[in-house]
Amino acid sequence: MAISAFSYIASASYSNRNHKLRCWRSSFSFSPPSRPSSRCHGKIRAHKHGKVSSRSNGVTVLSSAFFRGKIRIRGYCMLSTSPNGVAVISSNENYGNKEVISVTPQLYEYILANVREPEILRELREETAGMQGSQMQVSPDQAQLLAMLVQILGAQRCIEIGVYTGYSSLAIALVLPESGRLVACDRDAKCLEVAKRYYKRAGVSHKVEVKHALAINVLESLIETEEPGCFDFAFVDAEKRMYKEYYELLLQLVRPGGVIVIDNVLWHGRVADPLVNDKKTMSIRDFNRSIFEDKRVSICVVPIGDGMTICCKR
């Protein structure tokens, strides 16, 4: 969480000459004067090979200038900032000081501008933006990745656990062949009505089998009625504390070579913060650890959206 918070802070510091960044040896805060409520907090210390500022104790106030230099956040990595973004550098020398770009608001706008979002998806996204819980909707770049995975697999049969208003399921249905089938389940009837309206408008209702039920019940029913390994692709974006149960049931339904994608695996960065130990964070952290050790799948954690793990069943 500290990394993502500071990435935002560093990127915002050059958007307004009056923004100030104050660094202490044990903490930092950033607050644009025009938006006092935007105050962010975290912990940093000076990198052992350099200084956060010209003072040896690491105290500085920056305004009308870019923050340049390196800091270490809770001992995990360094951030090297520049006007164009923030580069994350592992503090482990075995990684060769590899710099990985951190997505700033400016850079993310550029990414979104290069997403090929169908008009029907744009309309659904904009309608959902005015609804309660709109932050649950996957981002356009996430939906584009899901659709591409379905296309690469040549998937015919897919499952989505957690539909919300249907943005991700619609993206998947749009690329499925006419004979394709998507089982989409959610417990929120009101949101499903929005999703079904857009399936109809997009002409893909015949591809989508909507299930208004608890995901665990839908999966258990599919195991009873379907052949093992009859699905090609699954996407999970539902109750976080049930991830392990969903995953184990999906492994019975997805074929070898099929793919399971799990959303929110980075959980706003909280999974990497040892000081955050609420139940949801701990459950996602435990799930990430168990899936890393699971030899039944090949995995790749992708830092897109709130983090997605792509699992290929062996």
Side-chain angles (χ1 to χ4, degrees):
M1 186 174 184
I3 293 175
S4 61
F6 196 83
S7 296
Y8 164 74
I9 290 163
S11 65
S13 65
Y14 60 82
S15 64
N16 186 315
R17 283 183 170 273
N18 294 319
H19 287 191
K20 294 181 179 180
L21 175 66
R22 293 181 172 87
C23 298
W24 288 268
R25 206 180 326 195
S26 60
S27 65
F28 71 79
S29 66
F30 168 78
S31 61
S34 59
R35 294 180 59 194
S37 61
S38 299
R39 196 171 188 84
C40 301
H41 296 279
K43 295 193 174 182
I44 65 171
R45 63 182 174 85
H47 176 45
K48 65 182 179 180
H49 297 307
K51 301 175 183 179
V52 172
S53 72
S54 58
R55 298 186 187 183
S56 60
N57 63 2
V59 178
T60 188
V61 176
L62 297 177
S63 61
S64 68
F66 304 120
F67 179 76
R68 300 180 186 276
K70 296 179 180 179
I71 61 172
R72 186 188 299 272
I73 296 183
R74 293 191 179 130
Y76 290 118
C77 68
M78 295 180 291
L79 297 183
S80 178
T81 66
S82 72
N84 297 320
V86 183
V88 180
I89 310 169
S90 172
S91 59
N92 187 333
E93 293 181 357
N94 291 328
Y95 289 101
N97 293 321
K98 174 68 177 177
E99 293 191 9
V100 182
I101 193 69
S102 178
V103 179
T104 64
Q106 182 184 30
L107 182 55
Y108 190 53
E109 286 295 322
Y110 178 83
I111 292 170
L112 292 179
N114 284 277
V115 172
R116 296 176 179 174
E117 182 182 35
E119 181 67 17
I120 190 69
L121 282 175
R122 182 190 63 78
E123 292 176 13
L124 173 55
R125 171 173 56 80
E126 291 178 352
E127 179 175 335
T128 304
M131 296 176 59
Q132 183 178 6
S134 60
Q135 73 279 0
M136 293 189 294
Q137 180 175 253
V138 301
S139 59
D141 48 328
Q142 286 181 289
Q144 182 176 251
L145 175 60
L146 293 172
M148 180 170 285
L149 288 171
V150 169
Q151 288 177 301
I152 291 171
L153 281 169
Q156 290 278 342
R157 306 189 75 192
C158 305
I159 307 174
E160 178 167 285
I161 305 300
V163 175
Y164 187 43
T165 60
Y167 189 87
S168 52
S169 54
L170 180 55
I172 291 169
L174 285 169
V175 299
L176 280 174
E178 283 301 304
S179 58
R181 175 192 174 200
L182 168 64
V183 176
C185 69
D186 201 288
R187 62 185 181 183
D188 190 321
K190 183 179 178 180
C191 289
L192 283 176
E193 288 304 313
V194 177
K196 288 191 287 186
R197 175 157 49 86
Y198 275 88
Y199 298 152
K200 184 176 181 179
R201 285 186 56 194
V204 297
S205 294
H206 61 290
K207 300 181 188 179
V208 186
E209 183 180 345
V210 177
K211 300 282 189 180
H212 176 217
L214 294 175
I216 201 79
N217 295 337
V218 171
L219 293 175
E220 289 174 346
S221 176
L222 287 172
I223 287 172
E224 291 179 2
T225 59
E226 303 281 354
E227 291 292 325
C230 65
F231 285 89
D232 305 296
F233 178 86
F235 176 52
V236 181
D237 186 13
E239 173 55 49
K240 312 311 171 191
R241 283 177 282 185
M242 294 292 291
Y243 269 13
K244 284 186 179 180
E245 287 81 356
Y246 299 152
Y247 173 75
E248 288 298 331
L249 293 172
L250 285 169
L251 278 177
Q252 299 179 53
L253 291 166
V254 172
R255 64 172 172 83
V259 167
I260 303 171
V261 180
I262 301 101
D263 197 17
N264 301 114
V265 296
L266 299 183
W267 200 231
H268 316 298
R270 295 187 183 106
V271 290
D273 189 339
L275 299 181
V276 178
N277 291 295
D278 60 274
K279 289 183 178 179
K280 278 192 177 181
T281 301
M282 290 180 68
S283 66
I284 296 173
R285 194 180 287 144
D286 290 344
F287 173 74
N288 289 343
R289 185 181 303 111
S290 67
I291 208 170
F292 173 77
E293 296 171 352
D294 189 353
K295 304 304 181 184
R296 295 172 294 176
V297 294
S298 301
I299 64 167
C300 180
V301 178
V302 183
I304 184 174
D306 193 25
M308 302 172 91
T309 296
I310 302 172
C311 311
C312 182
K313 183 178 175 180
R314 291 177 172 173

